[in-house]
Amino acid sequence: MTRIVLADDAVLLREALAAGLRAGGFEVVGQAADVDGLLRLVEAESPDVVVVDVRMPPTHTTEGLEAARAIRARHPGMAILVLSQYVETRYAVDLIRDDPAGIGYLLKDRVTRLDDLADAVRRVAAGGSVIDPEVVARLLGRPRRHSPLDELTSREREILALMAEGRSNQGIADRLVLELKTVEGHVRQVFSKLDLEPSSEDHRRVLAVLTFLKPE
Amino acid sequence: MQRTTRNLVLLIAVDLAFHLWSTFGPFLVWPGPYHWSVTPTNSAINLSLGLLWVAVLGITYVRDPGGRMWKLLLLSDIAAGTWALGYLDSPWGATLAELFGPLEAAILLHLVLGFPSGLLRDRLDRGLMAIVYTIVLPIQLLGLMTLDGDWNTLLVFPNDDLNFLLGRFGLLSPVLAVIAAIEVIRHWRDASPVMRRVLAPVAFGMPLVFLVLGAWWAAPALDRDDIRVFMLQNKIFDVPAYLTPILFLLGTLRTRMARGAIAELAMELGRGIPLGGLRDALARTLRDPTLQLAFAAPTGGGLVDSDGQPFQAPADRRATRLEREGELLAVIVHDPGLEREDSRFVEAVGSVARLALENERLQAQVRAQLEEVRASRQRIVEAGDAERRRVERDLHDGAQQRLVALAMRLDAARGTTIEARALIDAATAELGVAISEVRQLARGLHPTILTEAGLKAAIEALAERTPVPVEVEADAARYPATVEATAYFVVAEALTNVARYAAASHATVRVAAEGGALAIEVRDDGRGGADPGRGSGLRGLSDRVAAIGGTLEVDSPPGAGTVLRAHLPLEAVAT
């Protein structure tokens, strides 16, 4: 069973999350209210997945992001799902820039759908990447003057968005009810139009797409 | 005026009479052969020197009739006159000459230490003079009472041993002379630039005089009359007599020159001086480049400077208060040397500058009031910002978390019956809208990204939310929190207007620090014609910008796009 450590300073929400995760078939092995508690739990429990809120004491800004970085530095393989109250594309892109494997950034609204939450946890636990659709929508919807994105068909944009969310070709095919072969064709087309290096690994692909959408 | 002139004439006449007496008295009264030093040549020289002293006295009296200096000068000349009594063919004359003659040198020392006001500066000087006066008066009297001699009318009990002992006090004279020499040089060193000029002749000439006098006084106490003979034969004894009046005259004339500066100041003020130029004019007149001006604060009883900023006089400076009808007009903060030497000078300068000071005081008070209002406006803005942050935090920690948790619980309860499922789905959807609304409300109050990642990141996040392509040119520098918040709200309002009214296809946001201010420009290519007074958004913003000392302008010609520019000072004024 996938073992999870949970960190959020809001008790009510943390309990609700724990209940939701348990209902989704996960084992919640520890809960923390702050970064120090989280780091201790991670050392003690070696969980498969860490779910952490961005905003925690003492400054209530981006403690969760920093905790995520610290954990990844000590345990490079550990999957982390960061929850955020607000959509900040910058945080999402910064988070996966170093190493997108097993990293997720999800808006808190999303977790109210327990299925979506469980799906995201499973995907990061499997080493995939999860980017909240709202973040992707904001990145894609960001008004541009002239962009290769203008060349994409609406189907191709749809597929680009799902790639940016971290979904695999199979995942995209399931979501859009298409043949896998068709999806692969569209993906090639998108990469060619955006002049990106095709990548077989899903999380590398996420990074390439996000970097294209939000260059630093 | 008339009275002063009459007094001056009288004073000069009296002083001149004493000098004439000192010079020619011996010729008139001495029946026998003259002492070898009493020659017509010597007398002519003495009279010339006497005339110098008369000039010093006259100038000093005119300069400061209420002062002490001219009285000391007159007293010194009277004491000098008693020497000539020694030539009277009378024991009383000889006795009085012995008794009061030495007083002349003592008063001279007093004059030198107290120059130019006649007031002794500190305890060291007062102690020195106390010793000197004790030696020349009570001890001298005691000496005469014990000194055997048929000319001595004060003789009470001849006692050679006691008299010899008393005479030993003369040994102190060279020591006192050296101390006095050091003192006058120290006075010069401690003086302000303007007073140094006045003190210089006395400070550097008198130590020489003291050395000569010290040697002269020490000789009899050491039983070395040959020293006196040597000094007389080589004209060394004459040095003090020649040098002293010249030094005093030079010093006194320089005092008058310093006073002449007041006339110049009056003329300069009459021509009118630029705003803020008064301090410079006073500093020039008083020759104190470190001079400062302060005025009564409009409230609170403190002081403010010309710019209306709170002012505190440093402890090592002297403050001369200028009042009008009991009300404080201004405070001239100056070199403490200035007042010690001549407080009336500072006051006189203040009187001449009274009208200009009054003007400057009013200006300073208006500025101080303005500064208070500005500071209070800024405090209100800052308090508002803090309040917004607090409310945002409360929403985030409270309502938002509760609503999300509630939505999760509801989601978990789905799927019992089809009916329940439909109800719960509807409730969840409703809840989703509520969560979204609360989120937008909280974010509008204060975006966390602004505090955490700075202006550039926050503006980029704004740009992403704007339905028109927005180019952001900014660097990642951090600025004071109030400036960042103000800049953020300016850009947010501008982009909202671009999206709502401008019908633009593109906008640019530029943020850059330029010469101590943050320059913000939001430019679009829309239809222009924006009315800066429209809506409360921009007006509220321009109040906010003004509160931190900035400016906001909107340039929006019809058909040519809109440019909003804001300048926010970074050195946001002390809070």
Side-chain angles (χ1 to χ4, degrees), chain B residues 24-91:
Chain B
F24 300 109
F27 294 102
L28 298 175
V29 300
W30 186 239
Y34 295 119
H35 186 267
W36 60 270
S37 70
V38 184
T39 63
T41 318
N42 275 356
S43 299
I45 292 171
N46 281 344
L47 186 62
S48 313
L49 296 172
L51 289 176
L52 286 182
W53 280 119
V54 173
V56 173
L57 180 74
I59 293 167
T60 309
Y61 179 76
V62 170
R63 183 175 74 80
D64 190 7
R68 183 179 280 188
M69 196 66 184
W70 68 266
K71 296 168 190 154
L72 282 170
L73 281 163
L74 185 63
L75 212 57
S76 149
D77 289 336
I78 293 170
T82 58
W83 279 125
L85 293 176
Y87 291 91
L88 281 171
D89 186 16
S90 145

Side-chain angles (χ1 to χ4, degrees), chain B residues 259-331:
Chain B
R259 301 215 143 213
I262 293 180
E264 266 175 48
L265 175 68
M267 280 161 67
E268 192 176 347
L269 294 176
R271 284 193 297 270
I273 51 169
L275 235 153
L278 183 58
R279 190 217 74 91
D280 293 347
L282 291 181
R284 260 196 312 281
T285 307
L286 290 169
R287 295 200 201 204
D288 179 0
T290 60
L291 178 138
Q292 292 165 293
L293 272 183
F295 307 91
T299 54
L303 292 174
V304 292
D305 66 13
S306 300
D307 293 326
Q309 299 286 345
F311 180 87
Q312 180 85 47
D316 60 339
R317 313 271 298 159
R318 189 59 56 91
T320 298
R321 292 166 62 90
L322 301 171
E323 293 177 349
R324 196 196 52 182
E325 290 162 14
E327 190 191 357
L328 180 67
L329 191 62
V331 175

